[in-house]
Amino acid sequence: MLFSPAVLPITDEEEGDFMNVEETSRFVDSFWESHVLPALSRYIEIPNQSPLFDPDWEANGHMQRAVELARDWVLAQQIPGSRLQIANEPGRTPLLLLEVDGTGDKSVLLYGHLDKQPAMVGWEEGLGPWTPVRRDGKLYGRGGADDGYAVFAAVAAIKAVKLDGRPHSRFVVLIECCEESGSFDLPYYVEKYASVIGTPGLVVCLDSGCGDYDRLWTTTSLRGSIVGNLVVEVLTEGVHSGDASGIVPSSFRIMRQLLDRIEDSGTGNILPEWLSIEIPPEKLEEARRTAAVLGDDIWKKYPFASGVGPVSQDPVALLLNGTWRPTLSITGQGGLPELLQSGNVLLPKTALKLSIRLPPTLDATDLHARLKELFESDPPYGARVTFDSEKGATGWEAPPLAEWLEKSVERASEKFFGKSAGSMGEGGSIPFMGMLGARFPEAQFFITGVLGPQSNAHGPNEFLHIQAGKNVSSCVSQVLTDFEAL
């Protein structure tokens, strides 16, 4: 249900600078139903996996199809004073860049991406990664929430601002196509189009998460990451396990020993001190506030198997574990045959893909070399051990919200969601944020998104919560209006 202005009436103090809530909500709802959701459904159908997961992405043409869909849709909106260009350079992922003239000299950068994670297995019956399904107020399909909706939501917010009729800043919407691969093409494009991007005073990112769907959430930090492949080789070919076991060391057991160098298997704590930092006091306090709002929903949102529980019953500890402490996840394997194809053979090698999440402010510059030394030095039994990273990035901590932005976010949440805003760190990474933070140190950052409970980005049954998407669009339009009114 859309928020009704009758529930939280606009005060006399706010009347002069707040958008017409009822009109904005009505417009955004209609625009999403008529324009956004049909286009987003067509986008879900395109299997445009990020280059890391589809090395032949350029020849396959799926990414180009997704970009052309977005381009045609944006052009069809006929935004006054707008210019749209697509950067298509050989060997580089495409970039969509939309400029909208403003009435003053202020500039806002709005960010999102179009590339997707792989299909993943485990989708419920009737659902699939490339099959858009609208059910129970949600739009299912890969990439709808992460992050295909961003370009459509950004345009919806811009059109709402224009409908309101007040002066507004210059808007630049930047949509990349390799975020899920570490945004490796983005530094090149940011430099090439520096004159178009300008010097934004406000950066809006729509690629983040939310603690629930009942309020507007802002992201205050993002973890860094190192993703790499750890390989243990002991033989040139597999041999009969009855003949060789007890003589030839198991590559799997050696892998277990190597993992013990980085993680305490009993607690999940990361062991090397150089992978941790002291958590800032203000982030501890933020975690306490957020835990008071979300409680056990912090862990109950996950699809635990029967009888399984979280690593702790303390919601504050869980929040900090997922946002400011390093963690290790195993996300892929090589060398292990499928169960039905596994003979009684001692395997020649075992390979695992490691995803190491890093505290937001930990410098990741030399971590690949340190991890390589950690794993490869003094290998058990002289095994051949290699660790090679695929991608990695330093995390990011948002600068404190300026008073105007803090008030704008709070007021927008109350008006369009009907509840006070929330803030929290996120466990994932958005490489572009660190890059922009360094490039525009004076800018304010409004990081938000629709990846909430059960939305399951990267996994099966990913969905976009439609009402939350509509409300976020409305909230963004209000923040854009408030920025120009400063």
Side-chain angles (χ1 to χ4, degrees):
M1 178 181 296
L2 286 172
F3 168 70
S4 168
V7 178
L8 288 173
I10 300 173
T11 65
D12 292 339
E13 179 183 357
E14 295 173 329
E15 189 72 49
D17 59 355
F18 197 82
M19 301 176 74
N20 186 310
V21 177
E22 189 173 25
E23 183 177 340
T24 299
S25 297
R26 187 184 304 114
F27 165 76
V28 169
D29 181 78
S30 175
F31 186 76
W32 265 71
E33 292 294 334
S34 301
H35 298 279
V36 172
L37 292 172
L40 191 55
S41 296
R42 295 195 300 273
Y43 161 79
I44 287 173
E45 294 174 348
I46 304 173
N48 58 312
Q49 296 181 97
S50 199
L52 182 64
F53 312 107
D54 181 11
D56 296 324
W57 66 270
E58 197 167 10
N60 290 333
H62 301 309
M63 198 73 74
Q64 190 64 28
R65 288 172 55 206
V67 170
E68 290 175 359
L69 183 153
R71 176 201 64 194
D72 294 345
W73 183 87
V74 172
L75 290 175
Q77 305 315 310
Q78 299 181 329
I79 304 172
S82 67
R83 293 169 298 285
L84 179 66
Q85 56 182 313
I86 302 295
N88 263 325
E89 301 194 13
R92 294 192 184 276
T93 51
L95 183 82
L96 184 149
L97 205 58
L98 171 66
E99 302 174 71
V100 181
D101 292 335
T103 51
D105 58 0
K106 293 182 179 179
S107 180
V108 179
L109 178 64
L110 298 99
Y111 166 84
H113 69 87
L114 284 173
D115 56 314
K116 302 177 183 179
Q117 284 277 326
M120 190 63 180
V121 297
W123 291 75
E124 294 178 10
E125 185 176 354
L127 302 178
W130 323 123
T131 304
V133 174
R134 185 169 180 174
R135 179 192 298 171
D136 300 328
K138 308 174 182 71
L139 179 62
Y140 288 86
R142 173 64 79 233
D146 184 23
D147 182 43
Y149 90 103
V151 61
F152 307 107
V155 168
I158 290 171
K159 288 180 74 75
V161 169
K162 284 189 167 292
L163 177 69
D164 193 61
R166 305 179 193 222
H168 64 78
S169 304
R170 174 177 172 267
F171 304 131
V172 178
V173 181
L174 184 154
I175 306 294
E176 66 158 315
C177 290
C178 64
E179 191 275 343
E180 301 291 6
S181 299
S183 296
F184 54 80
D185 281 331
L186 209 49
Y188 169 83
Y189 282 131
V190 168
E191 191 62 39
K192 179 172 181 176
Y193 294 100
S195 61
V196 176
I197 296 171
T199 305
L202 174 65
V203 175
V204 179
C205 172
L206 297 168
D207 187 29
S208 197
C210 52
D212 58 29
Y213 302 112
D214 299 328
R215 70 199 78 230
L216 179 64
W217 288 87
T218 56
T219 297
T220 57
S221 64
L222 296 157
R223 284 194 292 186
S225 67
I226 297 286
V227 177
N229 299 319
L230 180 61
V231 182
V232 177
E233 295 182 79
V234 295
L235 295 167
T236 58
E237 60 185 23
V239 296
H240 194 297
S241 62
D243 181 50
S245 60
I247 300 173
V248 177
S250 162
S251 62
F252 192 88
R253 182 164 62 85
I254 293 172
M255 179 68 76
R256 288 161 57 194
Q257 291 177 279
L258 295 175
L259 293 179
D260 284 343
R261 297 180 178 185
I262 189 172
E263 181 191 53
D264 181 332
S265 62
T267 64
N269 293 338
I270 297 301
L271 299 175
E273 294 182 358
W274 40 269
L275 287 174
S276 298
I277 63 164
E278 183 176 350
I279 301 174
E282 63 272 17
K283 299 306 176 184
L284 292 172
E285 180 56 33
E286 179 184 64
R288 294 187 185 102
R289 292 197 306 268
T290 303
V293 173
L294 298 178
D296 287 344
D297 287 343
I298 292 167
W299 63 269
K300 286 185 176 179
K301 66 181 182 180
Y302 298 109
F304 283 97
S306 178
V308 181
V311 299
S312 170
Q313 294 296 323
D314 181 355
V316 176
L318 294 177
L319 280 174
L320 295 173
N321 286 349
T323 58
W324 278 89
R325 292 180 179 132
T327 57
L328 170 67
S329 300
I330 308 301
T331 61
Q333 64 82 23
L336 300 177
E338 294 289 334
L339 295 178
L340 289 177
Q341 297 297 314
S342 56
N344 228 346
V345 173
L346 191 71
L347 300 174
K349 72 175 182 179
T350 298
L352 297 178
K353 186 178 295 294
L354 312 187
S355 175
I356 304 168
R357 295 291 177 175
L358 308 171
T361 55
L362 181 70
D363 186 357
T365 303
D366 66 343
L367 289 188
H368 169 68
R370 300 187 73 170
L371 287 166
K372 193 173 184 67
E373 180 181 5
L374 175 74
F375 290 124
E376 295 183 3
S377 62
D378 191 22
Y381 306 101
R384 183 178 175 183
V385 175
T386 57
F387 177 76
D388 293 302
S389 62
E390 289 183 343
K391 64 176 182 176
T394 298
W396 175 79
E397 182 181 13
L401 294 188
E403 184 179 359
W404 76 266
L405 183 53
E406 186 175 9
K407 289 182 177 179
S408 178
V409 166
E410 174 65 17
R411 188 171 57 176
S413 183
E414 289 180 350
K415 299 303 179 182
F416 293 110
F417 278 92
K419 289 189 177 181
S420 181
S423 67
M424 60 189 295
E426 283 288 333
S429 306
I430 308 176
F432 191 36
M433 291 304 100
M435 186 191 315
L436 283 183
R439 192 176 184 94
F440 304 116
E442 302 302 317
Q444 282 287 291
F445 286 79
F446 172 35
I447 315 301
T448 190
V450 295
L451 296 170
Q454 287 88 48
S455 60
N456 214 20
H458 301 195
N461 309 319
E462 177 185 346
F463 68 73
L464 166 73
H465 190 286
I466 295 173
Q467 189 59 60
K470 293 176 180 178
N471 291 350
V472 165
S473 293
S474 297
C475 288
V476 169
S477 68
Q478 178 61 56
V479 171
L480 297 179
T481 298
D482 288 343
F483 176 65
E484 178 60 27
L486 284 176

